[in-house]
Amino acid sequence: MKRIYVNEMWCLGCHLCEYYCAYANSGIQDMVKALKDKQIQARITVEQRGTISFAVNCRHCTEPLCIKSCIAGAITSKDGVIVIDQSRCVLCYSCIMACPYGALMPAREGVMQKCELCTTNSQGQPACIQGCPNKAIVFEER
Amino acid sequence: MHYVMIGNSIASTACIEAVRAIDAEGSITVIGEEDHPCYSRPLISYLLQGKTDENRMVYRSEAFYEENKVTVMRGVRAQSIDREEKTVCLENGISLWYDKLLLATGSSPFIPPIKGLEEVKNRFTFLTLDEAKRLESNLRKESRVLILGAGLVGLKCAEAIIDKVQSVSVVDLAPRVLMSVLDDAASEQVRTHLQKQGLRFFLGDSIAECTPNEALLQSGTVIGFDLLVIAVGVKPNIQIALEAGLDVNRGILIDEGGRTSDADVFAAGDCTEGPEMIIGRKTVLALLPNAYLQGETAGTNMAGGTASFDKAVAMNALSLMGLHLITVGRYEGTSHLVPCKDGYKRLFVKDNHLVGCILVGEAGKRSGIYTAMIRNKVELDSLNFDLICEEPLLMAFAKSVRQQQLGGPV
Ligand SMILES: Cc1cc2nc3c(=O)[nH]c(=O)nc-3n(C[C@H](O)[C@H](O)[C@H](O)COP(=O)(O)OP(=O)(O)OC[C@H]3O[C@@H](n4cnc5c(N)ncnc54)[C@H](O)[C@@H]3O)c2cc1C
Ligand code: SF4
Ligand code: SF4
């Protein structure tokens, strides 16, 4: 299965992946309208300290501890892509407690959100990858 | 191969999934006492709050049972097990033959002996969907509710009903709330937070005697109530295992593979007492992730695979009126109190390992990184300890570890 992988040494710390993610999942057509003057709510997080930076999002684990810990049965695997049914989520934070990569965060709507590899929005391809100017994240089979 | 599972809840569902990953053909029968499809038990408080409904509480869809060819017998209790004949006898007289049996009977509310308790007509527990619905249908705007127990279940019940009734009082023998999972300071934060939302606490006290509408506490205080909820704790359902001659202590004793003292009988979930990874002794861990992971392990082994669940720790996320609490592991060794802007963080370190954490509010962010450090026994001198204390970041790990985490499938 194709997943997102990180090439840490290429990351510029520009946070563009976060902006592309927030836009892709905003449901708004116009990128400027989607992002301007907004506290963005990205599903990918750039960790940055000193000269090191890299992006982290859901690893789409083969043994997803989030699924096994969700008290609402809201997280499922769709052919390996780990997705969340927000209508079932009760924001208990069990998945946050369980995910070894810190890949889930609350969305503005009072439910949990996570990267679904842009399979559940209108992008088709992970938007973060398209936004990264330096191939510091790639979408491929490994 | 015929797999029989007693109890239709989280542990047996995980077991079905694991069996079917190996054995597509064997027949699976689940026996469930509750006359409902398998639902997520922790959601009963959210149901009363209107944050979910009975449809969304269903843990797995109807299609799941069709695809996996599972027969579920609902509303029927398994009465006894004959280990010689390898049969389970149901209360309706039917006998089921098994090759491999799973006991996933969960737990029951513990009812303390209190003088006059039988005379209280409006008395409830808070463990099942039926009880939650019965409680809901008895709530009135003018109801005064008394909850006995300031643990997880008692406080979730309080949260669920506080906006629907006149008053909610909580009595507990312990001097502080959530005594078994929080330290003094975190308990204090939680109590203050809940008091601000209108809950009344009577801690370090207990009910000495009841009349139908009044509780006399040990301290002499008298509390009038219309409804009484008993939530002092749960006890594993071991009766059927005990009568079948299986090894039991407080729970049904199992090993890392979910095996009981009979090679063809497995057990998982709240009814069990299994090896905990930090103390290395068997304990009861009545929490949902544990039920899932134990059920999954048992299922793999029942179907002839090999699985060992050697990472059992208490891990719980609890939200109470907007305050998020995350507790993992054990509170032993050296404690590190980490100053937090919007919350509370205490980490516990022993023998170069993180063994536990208490996280309140913002401190819970990305906390699975701490959980993984505990479960995987990460050597603390292999990472930037100061940084990881400050914030759970993958940055704190060695570059080679990060390369594995982010550079290949995990
Ligand atoms: C209000 C509440 C909130 C909770 N919140 C959380 C939370 O936030 N996080 C968390 O991790 N955990 C939470 N829990 C605990 C969690 O619900 C349990 O750990 C989990 O449900 C255990 O699953 P199980 O499959 O072992 O057993 P159970 O869910 O207890 O199910 C056992 C089933 O077996 C049936 N049964 C028993 N004996 C027989 C028999 N002889 N024949 C047929 N059927 C039988 C019972 O009727 C029951 O349906 C909460 C529990 C409650 C009550
Ligand atoms: S959310 Fe976390 S645990 Fe779940 S699949 Fe993604 S990385 Fe794995
Ligand atoms: S926050 Fe939502 S998705 Fe996460 S475990 Fe709780 S119910 Fe499941």
Side-chain angles (χ1 to χ4, degrees):
Chain A
M1 184 185 122
K2 276 169 98 174
R3 289 183 172 83
I4 291 171
Y5 297 109
V6 176
N7 295 324
E8 185 176 313
M9 72 240 224
W10 296 114
C11 179
L12 307 167
C14 66
H15 295 258
L16 273 173
C17 51
E18 295 177 348
Y19 284 95
Y20 272 75
C21 174
Y23 164 61
N25 292 303
S26 67
I28 300 170
Q29 283 292 318
D30 181 352
M31 192 165 195
V32 178
K33 273 206 189 113
L35 301 176
K36 196 163 176 267
D37 303 327
K38 290 203 176 128
Q39 174 86 39
I40 66 158
Q41 223 65 14
R43 301 168 183 196
I44 186 166
T45 313
V46 177
E47 285 192 21
Q48 199 166 15
R49 289 280 155 126
T51 54
I52 306 175
S53 65
F54 52 87
V56 184
N57 60 356
C58 172
R59 310 315 304 143
H60 297 276
C61 302
T62 44
E63 292 288 331
L65 208 52
C66 57
I67 295 188
K68 300 172 189 188
S69 301
C70 174
I71 65 161
I75 309 179
T76 52
S77 169
K78 295 243 173 336
D79 302 318
V81 181
I82 312 303
V83 296
I84 177 166
D85 176 354
Q86 293 184 325
S87 75
R88 292 168 70 104
C89 172
V90 293
L91 205 67
C92 72
Y93 280 40
S94 293
C95 50
I96 290 193
M97 166 197 73
C99 171
Y101 306 98
L104 299 114
M105 64 290 288
R108 210 179 276 111
E109 304 78 36
V111 287
M112 207 47 80
Q113 68 173 19
K114 68 182 290 303
C115 161
E116 300 179 333
L117 295 176
C118 287
T119 53
T120 50
N121 58 30
S122 58
Q123 293 290 313
Q125 286 276 334
C128 54
I129 302 291
Q130 299 162 43
C132 180
N134 212 30
K135 291 201 166 60
I137 40 175
V138 292
F139 185 52
E140 61 189 36
E141 198 89 41
R142 278 199 187 167
Chain B
M1 193 63 118
H2 189 201
Y3 305 91
V4 175
M5 304 176 189
I6 305 179
N8 181 23
S9 189
I10 308 300
S12 54
T13 304
C15 186
I16 297 170
E17 292 179 348
V19 165
R20 277 293 177 250
I22 296 178
D23 180 353
E25 294 308 319
S27 63
I28 300 179
T29 308
V30 180
I31 306 153
E33 190 176 6
E34 292 181 74
D35 196 6
H36 296 288
C38 170
Y39 61 91
S40 297
R41 190 167 308 285
L43 294 191
I44 59 175
S45 67
Y46 296 91
L47 176 72
L48 264 52
Q49 282 175 292
K51 290 192 176 170
T52 188
D53 53 44
E54 280 189 61
N55 284 333
R56 284 180 286 163
M57 284 174 78
V58 173
Y59 192 55
R60 293 292 183 265
S61 66
E62 251 173 64
F64 170 84
Y65 295 92
E66 273 168 39
E67 277 161 27
N68 289 301
K69 293 178 281 179
V70 179
T71 309
V72 182
M73 302 176 73
R74 269 165 31 186
V76 48
R77 190 182 160 76
Q79 203 68 40
S80 60
I81 304 162
D82 184 333
R83 294 201 284 130
E84 297 262 297
E85 297 290 321
K86 294 179 78 166
T87 55
V88 176
C89 185
L90 310 187
E91 63 179 349
N92 57 13
I94 293 177
S95 215
L96 294 176
W97 159 84
Y98 68 82
D99 286 302
K100 300 285 174 198
L101 176 66
L102 178 79
L103 306 177
T105 49
S107 44
S108 298
F110 175 69
I111 310 289
I114 295 170
K115 200 171 153 203
L117 197 60
E118 297 78 53
E119 270 108 83
V120 179
K121 208 172 96 274
N122 282 325
R123 177 161 55 102
F124 305 84
T125 56
F126 199 63
L127 227 62
T128 62
L129 178 55
D130 286 341
E131 271 295 90
K133 284 178 10 186
R134 194 170 71 87
L135 174 62
E136 186 174 37
S137 67
N138 278 278
L139 296 174
R140 307 280 176 273
K141 268 217 144 40
E142 60 283 1
S143 300
R144 296 160 305 160
V145 181
L146 177 59
I147 299 176
L148 182 60
L152 180 152
V153 173
L155 295 185
K156 281 310 273 184
C157 178
E159 175 191 43
I161 62 177
I162 182 111
D163 291 337
K164 298 175 186 283
V165 297
Q166 192 198 93
S167 68
V168 179
S169 307
V170 181
V171 176
D172 202 306
L173 190 56
R176 51 191 184 79
V177 303
L178 295 167
M179 177 90 173
S180 60
V181 291
L182 296 183
D183 61 3
D184 287 1
S187 276
E188 191 55 24
Q189 272 196 20
V190 174
R191 186 182 56 83
T192 316
H193 174 75
L194 297 180
Q195 260 170 352
K196 274 193 207 137
Q197 321 277 326
L199 278 189
R200 294 197 301 165
F201 285 102
F202 300 85
L203 300 173
D205 212 340
S206 65
I207 303 179
E209 208 178 320
C210 275
T211 64
N213 287 99
E214 263 178 2
L216 168 65
L217 305 190
Q218 292 292 355
S219 61
T221 309
V222 175
I223 307 176
F225 64 83
D226 303 299
L227 309 172
L228 175 65
V229 181
I230 310 271
V232 291
V234 296
K235 53 177 197 311
N237 290 328
I238 61 168
Q239 198 59 29
I240 198 166
L242 183 71
E243 284 168 11
L246 295 169
D247 289 352
V248 297
N249 185 33
R250 207 160 85 73
I252 304 168
L253 291 168
I254 55 166
D255 68 5
E256 275 94 352
R259 297 174 198 88
T260 67
S261 49
D262 179 327
D264 295 319
V265 184
F266 293 71
D270 280 16
C271 64
T272 66
E273 190 170 330
E276 195 265 7
M277 66 169 279
I278 297 166
I279 44 166
R281 255 187 292 117
K282 295 191 178 181
T283 49
V284 177
L285 292 174
L287 293 163
L288 187 141
N290 188 60
Y292 188 97
L293 293 162
Q294 283 182 336
E296 183 183 44
T297 308
T300 302
N301 291 326
M302 285 162 74
T306 30
S308 176
F309 177 41
D310 52 9
K311 290 185 177 162
V313 283
M315 47 193 254
N316 191 23
L318 175 62
S319 80
L320 286 169
M321 302 184 182
L323 188 64
H324 292 279
L325 315 170
I326 288 171
T327 55
V328 187
R330 297 188 63 86
Y331 312 146
E332 292 175 1
T334 324
S335 112
H336 295 256
L337 197 61
V338 185
C340 280
K341 229 184 10 243
D342 244 334
Y344 178 79
K345 181 191 295 195
R346 193 165 169 201
L347 304 175
F348 295 84
V349 171
K350 194 179 172 185
D351 302 331
N352 201 24
H353 294 137
L354 186 67
V355 294
C357 61
I358 299 173
L359 310 166
V360 181
E362 274 297 298
K365 214 174 134 191
R366 298 189 80 192
S367 52
I369 294 176
Y370 290 141
T371 308
M373 286 169 63
I374 297 171
R375 297 181 82 238
N376 299 332
K377 295 195 170 162
V378 170
E379 302 285 335
L380 292 181
D381 56 13
S382 73
L383 48 68
N384 182 339
F385 183 66
D386 290 338
L387 181 58
I388 205 101
C389 280
E390 192 190 313
E391 205 183 332
L393 293 172
L394 300 184
M395 181 75 78
F397 290 84
K399 198 172 169 182
S400 56
V401 174
R402 207 153 60 232
Q403 181 61 30
Q404 281 171 15
Q405 291 172 327
L406 304 177
V410 287

